[in-house]
Amino acid sequence: MAYTAETFLAKIKPMIIKDMVDNQILASLTASQALIESGKGNSGLAVQCNNLFGIKGEYKGQSGLFWTTEYYNGKATRVRAKFRKYPSWKESISDHSHLFTSSKRYKNLVGCKDYALACKYVKEDGYATSPSYTNTLMDTINTHKLYLWDSEVIGKVIPIKQPPKLPTLKRGSKGEHVLAWQQYLWLNGFPPGLIDGKFGQLTEDAVKAFQFSRGLKVDGVIGPECWNNIGVA
């Protein structure tokens, strides 16, 4: 019987939550990659090799040959490649995180608490060649609310929710969206002073630091650019 997205995620969740605790790789990133790369656990690679992430090569001398699509200069090309074969999904998840924690190439993912940034990093680090990979990961995380898995490990997180209309927040603004942004800023290294739902000078300074780090217009105002940058808009 084929897995649905819901049944697949339910099966891998305990393993991925434990993996985040052990390896400091965001559960939302790991889960979204597993869902996408394995076709919800139904791909030939997942079924025959327990390989949920499309990792190439061998695992303890075990591998399988499969067709895959690679992108060269933006052009899709079908190639046959060797992929790692695992005893179970548990080893696949553990090996996926080991790839990130043991390589300088992926060091920016270890301890990252910003799932939008993690999705950006993993594409830039060369994990996948698809030009839309970051957006696909973000869509998957938001659709299945996988950021809530991260909060189970990190704790005390108010996920930023998409309101009917994205508000512009600036000094003097108040309310739950300001509070959510203050917690988001705090978790990602931009201390906003008091986390009290009141947009004051210290929160404005934190927003400016966030904007500068992301290459956005530095004006201290949370507008469409800021919302887009964290994958909510």
Side-chain angles (χ1 to χ4, degrees):
M1 181 176 176
Y3 289 99
T4 64
E6 290 72 23
T7 57
F8 175 70
L9 290 172
K11 181 172 181 177
I12 65 174
K13 182 179 180 180
M15 293 180 277
I16 288 181
I17 292 292
K18 183 179 186 303
D19 182 78
M20 180 176 171
V21 173
D22 293 342
N23 296 297
Q24 299 183 62
I25 302 299
L26 281 176
S28 58
L29 176 66
T30 304
S32 61
Q33 286 192 285
L35 190 70
I36 294 163
E37 300 288 351
S38 73
K40 296 175 289 191
N42 299 312
S43 70
L45 187 58
V47 173
Q48 298 175 43
C49 295
N50 290 313
N51 189 328
L52 299 180
F53 302 95
I55 299 178
K56 297 182 177 69
E58 297 181 349
Y59 179 79
K60 297 184 178 181
Q62 299 298 306
S63 65
L65 284 174
F66 290 85
W67 287 99
T68 186
T69 300
E70 300 289 355
Y71 290 81
Y72 303 101
N73 297 319
K75 183 178 180 181
T77 305
R78 292 284 289 170
V79 296
R80 193 166 173 80
K82 182 186 290 188
F83 290 85
R84 299 181 188 184
K85 184 175 183 179
Y86 301 98
S88 72
W89 287 1
K90 179 181 177 181
E91 286 81 8
S92 179
I93 292 168
S94 176
D95 191 47
H96 170 264
S97 287
H98 181 262
L99 173 68
F100 291 164
T101 59
S102 63
S103 172
K104 292 182 179 179
R105 176 179 169 186
Y106 295 108
K107 66 179 181 180
N108 51 8
L109 295 172
V110 182
C112 179
K113 296 178 181 178
D114 180 338
Y115 71 86
L117 200 55
C119 292
K120 178 174 178 285
Y121 282 159
V122 77
K123 169 64 174 68
E124 292 178 346
D125 294 343
Y127 188 91
T129 56
S130 170
S132 61
Y133 195 65
T134 294
N135 289 336
T136 302
L137 290 173
M138 287 295 302
D139 288 345
T140 301
I141 290 172
N142 289 324
T143 296
H144 299 285
K145 299 182 179 179
L146 298 175
Y147 48 78
L148 295 177
W149 293 19
D150 300 336
S151 70
E152 291 185 27
V153 179
I154 298 171
K156 297 182 180 179
V157 176
I158 299 175
I160 296 178
K161 300 178 181 179
Q162 182 173 346
K165 291 184 179 180
L166 295 170
T168 296
L169 306 174
K170 57 186 177 181
R171 199 192 306 193
S173 297
K174 298 178 182 180
E176 62 177 347
H177 295 111
V178 173
L179 184 64
W181 263 95
Q182 287 175 328
Q183 291 214 17
Y184 177 87
L185 292 165
W186 174 75
L187 283 170
N188 289 282
F190 306 100
L194 293 176
I195 300 176
D196 57 3
K198 299 177 182 178
F199 200 128
Q201 180 65 59
L202 293 178
T203 297
E204 181 179 287
D205 292 343
V207 171
K208 287 180 178 179
F210 164 80
Q211 290 170 328
F212 180 79
S213 74
R214 301 294 196 272
L216 307 177
K217 179 182 178 182
V218 180
D219 58 6
V221 176
I222 299 172
E225 274 194 329
C226 290
W227 288 108
N228 277 319
N229 190 266
I230 63 169
V232 176

